[in-house]
Amino acid sequence: MGKGLLIVFTGNGKGKTTAALGMAMRAAGHGLRVCFVQFIKGGWRYGELEAVKRFEGLIDLHVMGKGFTWKSDNIEEDARLAREAWEFACAAIASGVYHTVVLDEFTYLLHYQMLELEPCLRVLADRHPDQHVVITGRYAPQQLIDAADLVTEMQAVKHPLKGGVKAQQGIEF
Ligand code: ATP
Ligand code: MG
């Protein structure tokens, strides 16, 4: 018997979301089902959204907030969408259908207090012992790090955007 892991990819360096996607691919390669929930969507046409369509029935991808970009001019609406997205994720975790549930960019909801930390930690703690959960995003709260089994901090050593290189297809999106 394995153990369901709580995995956190955090830090300021590039590679958090792509690491989670890599894990989704790895599981899918074994015929294991993954639910990949994107809590924040940028303006780009992300390659992974198209790629994941080719894994129909194995990787279920859900972009929350209907293309919502997290521009905070309506905090109440943001909080409502955050709760809605979290409830969706809770249902995926509780369903028992998925080998792995990915909560991409979820840390921001905690960091900016769109959601209360304690109830979220309780849902994670009370999940089925076999259930793997992967959380990505900068500023992972210390209590989430404490609760996790595996934490990797991506450290920004160099990034081409700093030198003026624009975001590129297939690299950033
Ligand atoms: P990726 O999606 O490429 O795995 P990520 O999930 O680690 O990156 P995020 O914090 O979600 O990174 O930010 C998304 C975008 O910001 C990516 O396009 C990424 O290239 C860019 N980015 C990440 N780290 C840095 C950095 N240190 N400086 C500038 N841009 C960055
Ligand atoms: Mg990311």
Side-chain angles (χ1 to χ4, degrees):
M1 281 290 287
K3 172 188 172 8
L5 300 174
L6 179 58
I7 298 173
V8 176
F9 296 131
T10 191
N12 292 334
K14 176 175 163 63
K16 300 174 289 294
T17 296
T18 43
L21 282 163
M23 293 198 59
M25 300 281 265
R26 180 171 283 171
H30 292 288
L32 302 165
R33 290 186 65 184
V34 176
C35 183
F36 197 105
V37 185
Q38 280 197 324
F39 280 87
I40 301 176
K41 186 182 179 298
W44 287 317
R45 196 175 144 268
Y46 287 93
E48 59 261 36
L49 303 184
E50 297 305 312
V52 155
K53 283 184 190 161
R54 300 177 194 188
F55 290 82
E56 212 191 313
L58 280 175
I59 304 178
D60 295 336
L61 183 116
H62 296 272
V63 181
M64 301 313 300
K66 301 186 182 77
F68 177 56
T69 52
W70 227 246
K71 286 181 195 128
S72 219
D73 44 16
N74 186 343
I75 287 166
E76 252 160 56
E77 175 69 355
D78 291 356
R80 192 185 65 75
L81 286 168
R83 280 196 300 275
E84 211 174 270
W86 170 239
E87 275 159 29
F88 179 89
C90 289
I93 290 168
S95 70
V97 166
Y98 299 104
H99 172 268
T100 298
V101 176
V102 179
L103 312 179
D104 186 40
E105 319 297 355
F106 182 65
T107 54
Y108 298 99
L109 278 67
L110 301 175
H111 180 71
Y112 293 109
Q113 294 166 3
M114 312 296 284
L115 295 173
E116 277 183 77
L117 181 60
E118 297 295 337
C120 292
L121 291 174
R122 210 171 310 128
V123 167
L124 294 170
D126 292 347
R127 74 193 194 281
H128 192 280
D130 290 348
Q131 179 68 63
H132 303 288
V133 174
V134 181
I135 294 176
T136 85
R138 298 177 190 202
Y139 322 124
Q142 188 58 46
Q143 282 157 281
L144 179 65
I145 289 172
D146 293 343
D149 301 289
L150 190 166
V151 181
T152 298
E153 185 172 350
M154 276 65 177
Q155 195 195 339
V157 177
K158 274 190 176 181
H159 197 292
L161 296 184
K162 289 240 158 61
V165 178
K166 283 191 188 147
Q168 300 183 76
Q169 188 177 48
I171 304 290
E172 263 82 35
F173 60 95

